[in-house]
Amino acid sequence: MAAARARGRRGGRPYKMTATKLKIAVAAVKNKETRISELCTELEITRQTL
């Protein structure tokens, strides 16, 4: 692992929620009219991730 990190490799699965998606999700969840299923489809994430 140390050799991989020295080459710039991090390893592991990439995060599904980026900072941009997180800001959009927080703003949308505050709105009472937002449907969670539609938001998840738009952001390409699951309900569990949200």
Side-chain angles (χ1 to χ4, degrees):
M1 289 299 290
R5 286 192 188 110
R7 292 191 312 267
R9 302 283 188 162
R10 290 182 27 205
R13 187 180 176 114
Y15 290 111
K16 195 69 170 167
M17 286 292 286
T18 62
T20 305
K21 284 184 180 182
L22 184 59
K23 288 179 185 177
I24 292 170
V26 169
V29 170
K30 286 182 181 178
N31 185 358
K32 297 292 182 185
E33 297 176 2
T34 302
R35 294 190 183 265
I36 299 300
S37 59
E38 291 176 4
L39 177 62
C40 290
T41 303
E42 181 180 330
L43 295 177
E44 298 175 345
I45 58 173
T46 63
R47 293 175 70 94
Q48 291 81 9
T49 303
L50 183 63

